[in-house]
Amino acid sequence: AQKITQTQPGMFVQEKEAVTLDCTYDTSDPSYGLFWYKQPSSGEMIFLIYQGSYDQQNATEGRYSLNFQKARKSANLVISASQLGDSAMYFCAMREGSGGTSYGKLTFGQGTILTVHP
Amino acid sequence: ETGVTQSPTHLIKTRGQQVTLRCSSQSGHNTVSWYQQALGQGPQFIFQYYREEENGRGNFPPRFSGLQFPNYSSELNVNALELDDSALYLCASSLVVGTGMETQYFGPGTRLLVL
């Protein structure tokens, strides 16, 4: 089974509007972390936001917020006030466990291409 | 800017050759991870190094090997290159302090083409 599922291959949004990128995950480990990264065409993965499995509140970082629904195993990224520079590939990723060999291993989804129209 | 650099940016090799990719981590980061990203796919975890020792490996054969040095640099070596090794190779560094919340910071990647 896929550990990270991003069901939207592509999304379009008008500039200044909000957009939600979907991510569902699958793990039996009670301790895990969820990450969102942005990858422009240049290739570099840019960290956006992190949510820990024990965090009580949804994470927010500027225009980015994470809609964390633990029971549904979803961690959707919400981008408010979209900008043209937000056009890129977006990846959801998960790290299972809290120590040892889990530190480095991120499992990524297939990604969603976001296009922001003027 | 993440403070993580990789070299070279692009590389062309032929099948059967060997290649070494290099990464310079953020100063003070004790963990480096390497990922392979095929075109149109998400990155796949190759392995990680923690304090200069391999500490976790994904589903990659032994011809993928690595080194981590005390000066925050690291290498990914791939022997006997195959056509399917053509991909973007990303390294990511982090400072592991035991909370499990550590963020990985990625470099710009090396694009490898195997002919």
Side-chain angles (χ1 to χ4, degrees):
Chain A
Q2 293 284 342
K3 284 187 175 284
I4 295 287
T5 303
Q6 295 180 252
T7 58
Q8 307 154 315
M11 288 286 287
F12 296 89
V13 65
Q14 206 72 23
E15 193 178 9
K16 300 181 185 178
E17 298 290 314
V19 64
T20 298
L21 306 184
D22 294 342
C23 173
T24 57
Y25 59 93
D26 183 29
T27 181
S28 57
D29 198 316
S31 178
Y32 54 89
L34 297 159
F35 300 79
W36 277 91
Y37 284 88
K38 171 185 176 182
Q39 188 177 41
S41 57
S42 59
E44 186 168 354
M45 300 286 280
I46 302 167
F47 166 73
L48 297 177
I49 197 166
Y50 166 84
Q51 180 85 44
S53 59
Y54 296 117
D55 292 344
Q56 296 296 313
Q57 294 187 327
N58 288 342
T60 60
E61 290 285 349
R63 295 188 298 112
Y64 304 106
S65 60
L66 203 152
N67 184 2
F68 182 46
Q69 299 188 43
K70 195 170 183 177
R72 298 179 60 183
K73 294 188 175 179
S74 74
N76 298 338
L77 176 70
V78 180
I79 305 174
S80 62
S82 296
Q83 301 172 357
L84 296 178
D86 293 336
S87 294
M89 177 75 89
Y90 288 80
F91 288 99
C92 178
M94 177 173 64
R95 180 176 60 217
E96 296 171 271
S98 59
T101 59
S102 75
Y103 278 134
K105 183 178 180 180
L106 290 178
T107 301
F108 285 82
Q110 292 289 88
T112 296
I113 300 175
L114 176 66
T115 303
V116 180
H117 289 302
Chain B
E1 293 293 325
T2 65
V4 181
T5 60
Q6 291 186 244
S7 62
T9 56
H10 296 81
L11 200 54
I12 300 175
K13 291 285 190 179
T14 56
R15 194 170 47 183
Q17 285 189 311
Q18 179 267 343
V19 69
T20 297
L21 310 181
R22 293 179 173 83
C23 172
S24 179
S25 302
Q26 276 197 28
S27 179
H29 280 191
N30 55 13
T31 301
V32 64
S33 303
W34 286 89
Y35 294 82
Q36 179 195 68
Q37 186 178 17
L39 195 61
Q41 304 291 319
Q44 298 289 315
F45 175 74
I46 302 174
F47 47 54
Q48 69 163 337
Y49 277 77
Y50 174 66
R51 293 182 175 176
E52 302 166 40
E53 291 193 4
E54 186 178 301
N55 185 29
R57 172 177 277 265
N59 190 25
F60 281 82
R63 59 189 185 85
F64 286 79
S65 64
L67 287 170
Q68 185 186 25
F69 303 102
N71 64 351
Y72 311 116
S73 67
S74 59
E75 291 180 353
L76 165 64
N77 298 291
V78 187
N79 293 322
L81 284 167
E82 301 177 359
L83 299 179
D84 285 348
D85 294 334
S86 296
L88 177 68
Y89 288 85
L90 296 161
C91 77
S93 75
S94 60
L95 174 61
V96 172
V97 294
T99 65
M101 296 174 58
E102 295 83 5
T103 298
Q104 292 187 28
Y105 295 94
F106 284 79
T110 294
R111 294 188 186 274
L112 172 66
L113 176 62
V114 182
L115 301 176

